[in-house]
Amino acid sequence: NAGVTQTPKFQVLKTGQSMTLQCAQDMNHEYMSWYRQDPGMGLRLIHYSVGAGITDQGEVPNGYNVSRSTTEDFPLRLLSAAPSQTSVYFCASSPRGKDYGYTFGSGTRLTVV
Amino acid sequence: GNSVTQMEGPVTLSEEAFLTINCTYTATGYPSLFWYVQYPGEGLQLLLKATKADDKGSNKGFEATYRKETTSFHLEKGSVQVSDSAVYFCALRGFGNEKLTFGTGTRLTIIP
């Protein structure tokens, strides 16, 4: 099993550019989430989804869009990149149920110049 | 809302020392509690979990006990190794609100 696959691993954008971070999981998990990790701030939830066609905002949704057209895929779109979006982005997935842990991807390191 | 408060780091220990990383939480009901580990340049890996009061999670020599009376889930290891150097995150997941809520993380460095 591949688990949670994120692409690309590294990306440099210019301010104002847009891009999509890809996330795919092959475990048939209902729940998927996007986090960003900044030095000294832990992980902050950007958006999450409890199933295909259902998404909701997390703590820091501004500047990001998501959609969930299939169970497997949960792309994160940066609409107009800003230097404040320089971060490491992690996608995670989980079965339904509080007793399950989330499985994380290996991350995308994004730099906005 | 749910929240997790984690011991401030960084923590530096000598090899074979005893490790404790404190974690306390605030949540309604009976959440599940988790410890995740992040090695340099990698994503988070689930280290251990406990899903009800008095449960003890354990893995790779690490242990944590779910204490409802003190709302705590402290991570312990009896003898740390250099390979344990990483960032450790405490997290909770509540019933009906199944987002994962993280603490801020504790960076652990083990010196030979």
Side-chain angles (χ1 to χ4, degrees):
Chain A
N1 282 347
V4 178
T5 302
Q6 289 184 240
T7 56
K9 292 191 180 304
F10 301 94
Q11 183 71 49
V12 179
L13 287 180
K14 295 183 178 179
T15 297
Q17 287 184 318
S18 63
M19 80 160 293
T20 299
L21 306 186
Q22 302 291 344
C23 175
Q25 53 95 5
D26 62 357
M27 298 170 285
N28 202 32
H29 287 171
E30 292 183 71
Y31 284 66
M32 295 187 75
S33 301
W34 276 101
Y35 293 86
R36 60 178 287 174
Q37 184 177 31
D38 302 301
M41 298 198 70
L43 288 100
R44 293 184 290 171
L45 182 65
I46 305 171
H47 285 286
Y48 66 99
S49 169
V50 299
I54 306 169
T55 64
D56 206 348
Q57 297 180 351
E59 304 170 62
V60 289
N62 292 340
Y64 307 95
N65 272 356
V66 292
S67 60
R68 184 107 179 262
S69 56
T70 66
T71 299
E72 295 78 17
D73 299 302
F74 191 44
L76 178 72
R77 297 182 188 84
L78 279 69
L79 308 173
S80 177
S84 60
Q85 294 179 304
T86 293
S87 188
V88 181
Y89 292 83
F90 289 102
C91 180
S93 72
S94 169
R96 177 191 295 268
K98 74 171 184 70
D99 294 347
Y100 294 98
Y102 275 72
T103 300
F104 282 78
S106 57
T108 295
R109 185 175 294 276
L110 176 68
T111 302
V112 182
V113 297
Chain B
N2 297 337
S3 67
V4 176
T5 301
Q6 197 174 329
M7 176 177 174
E8 292 284 333
V11 174
T12 302
L13 294 173
S14 297
E15 203 167 21
E16 300 183 2
F18 184 86
L19 168 70
T20 300
I21 301 177
N22 290 338
C23 171
T24 58
Y25 68 90
T26 301
T28 55
Y30 298 88
S32 292
L33 301 173
F34 304 86
W35 277 100
Y36 282 84
V37 58
Q38 184 180 31
Y39 299 104
E42 298 184 11
L44 279 73
Q45 301 175 25
L46 179 63
L47 180 60
L48 54 83
K49 69 176 184 180
T51 59
K52 59 183 186 296
D54 300 324
D55 264 3
K56 178 185 284 188
S58 61
N59 188 23
K60 299 181 180 179
F62 291 90
E63 293 183 341
T65 301
Y66 188 164
R67 302 287 189 199
K68 182 110 178 113
E69 63 276 13
T70 55
T71 62
S72 65
F73 193 54
H74 305 321
L75 183 68
E76 297 182 334
K77 187 175 186 183
S79 176
V80 293
Q81 306 300 313
V82 172
S83 57
D84 294 326
S85 297
V87 181
Y88 292 82
F89 292 92
C90 185
L92 72 80
R93 188 174 184 183
F95 178 76
N97 178 8
E98 296 189 30
K99 294 174 285 187
L100 202 56
T101 300
F102 283 97
T104 53
T106 301
R107 181 176 300 277
L108 173 68
T109 301
I110 307 301
I111 54 177

